[in-house]
Amino acid sequence: MNTYSKYCPNVFLAKTTEQHEKGSLIKLTTKYGKENEVIIYNLIYTKDGFYFYSFVRADGFNIQERAKNKATKYENWANSAEKKSTEYYEASKEGHDFLVLAEPIKIGHHSEKRHRALIERNWNRMGKSVEFSEKANDYLSKAEYWESKANEINLSMPESLEYYEYKLEEAKERHEGLKSGKYERTHSFSLTYAKKEVNELTKKFEIAKRLWN
């Protein structure tokens, strides 16, 4: 059985018992037993009789598609919660024409029980309205977060090779510019941070080359 193996942040490899050519279609089984068809890219390493390959999903599903699906899911949940909030709010207006008169509860009167029950129902309905409104806002916040991830590129995608090559050249130019005085050093660690970014992007670019070159 071919399975997934964690390689680095955001990246899984195909762990197989057999060798495969680049472009081969194979199925990988998740830890939950679900099978996904994938396209083999590069052999990354071998260990204990297993072969570890970079791959992409055959159906094109990647981290960007996952982010879009997440955003859509939370947007739908937000709409549903907002609808329920409105329904509870409208229901809380029951007996409005009577209650707005601010008539006191008549203790011992036959209307006392109905009066108290009406106030309690509306109080509970308003509480539910607020609860679902807060849920809607929470879901919208999460939807916005996932929407911001919809165009993100990371090492799990072949596009990361070109992306990190560009970002590395950009970081190198920035670092050299800070050294030469082309760019102003806004604080004492400007050069240090710029060098750190170059080092981090160099590492990511090397990983991208190994995965997708």
Side-chain angles (χ1 to χ4, degrees):
M1 181 173 66
N2 303 319
T3 58
Y4 291 80
S5 177
K6 187 69 175 287
Y7 181 57
C8 65
N10 300 312
V11 180
F12 284 86
L13 300 179
K15 179 182 178 182
T16 73
T17 55
E18 299 178 356
Q19 284 186 285
H20 298 281
E21 295 293 327
K22 185 171 185 176
S24 299
L25 283 173
I26 67 169
K27 289 185 177 180
L28 296 184
T29 304
T30 70
K31 62 181 179 180
Y32 303 109
K34 181 182 178 181
E35 287 189 337
N36 294 314
E37 193 170 45
V38 304
I39 303 171
I40 293 297
Y41 257 70
N42 296 330
L43 175 64
I44 306 304
Y45 64 91
T46 61
K47 183 180 179 182
D48 300 330
F50 291 99
Y51 301 87
F52 294 82
Y53 295 92
S54 57
F55 66 89
V56 293
R57 285 269 293 264
D59 59 7
F61 188 84
N62 58 23
I63 192 168
Q64 292 181 343
E65 292 303 314
R66 178 173 179 268
K68 291 175 186 177
N69 289 349
K70 286 272 193 179
T72 299
K73 179 182 73 173
Y74 281 117
E75 284 173 359
N76 291 338
W77 287 358
N79 291 335
S80 178
E82 189 60 41
K83 181 180 178 182
K84 288 181 180 179
S85 175
T86 301
E87 289 172 354
Y88 276 113
Y89 174 72
E90 292 300 325
S92 73
K93 295 180 180 179
E94 180 189 358
H96 173 75
D97 291 342
F98 167 70
L99 294 175
V100 76
L101 298 175
E103 287 281 347
I105 296 175
K106 298 175 181 178
I107 307 300
H109 192 266
H110 65 82
S111 65
E112 178 185 356
K113 186 176 180 181
R114 292 198 307 272
H115 196 161
R116 291 185 184 278
L118 175 61
I119 293 173
E120 184 176 1
R121 282 199 304 275
N122 286 346
W123 176 261
N124 291 337
R125 288 163 176 167
M126 183 57 73
K128 283 290 185 180
S129 177
V130 172
E131 177 186 338
F132 278 103
S133 179
E134 290 174 348
K135 282 185 177 181
N137 289 333
D138 182 51
Y139 291 145
L140 280 175
S141 177
K142 290 177 179 178
E144 290 172 359
Y145 168 78
W146 285 107
E147 284 175 358
S148 72
K149 297 285 186 181
N151 294 314
E152 183 177 281
I153 295 175
N154 64 29
L155 289 168
S156 69
M157 305 163 63
E159 294 88 344
S160 65
L161 179 59
E162 183 177 352
Y163 174 75
Y164 284 118
E165 182 178 23
Y166 169 77
K167 297 299 289 184
L168 177 57
E169 289 305 313
E170 189 177 57
K172 285 180 177 178
E173 196 277 333
R174 173 71 179 172
H175 180 242
E176 290 301 319
L178 288 170
K179 286 171 62 177
S180 67
K182 178 180 178 181
Y183 301 121
E184 179 185 358
R185 300 187 191 185
T186 55
H187 53 78
S188 59
F189 289 99
S190 292
L191 192 60
T192 301
Y193 290 155
K195 178 59 177 175
K196 181 181 179 182
E197 185 176 13
V198 169
N199 292 341
E200 290 176 349
L201 287 169
T202 298
K203 183 179 179 180
K204 288 182 177 180
F205 180 49
E206 291 303 317
I207 294 173
K209 285 197 294 184
R210 189 173 185 187
L211 290 168
W212 310 115
N213 193 19

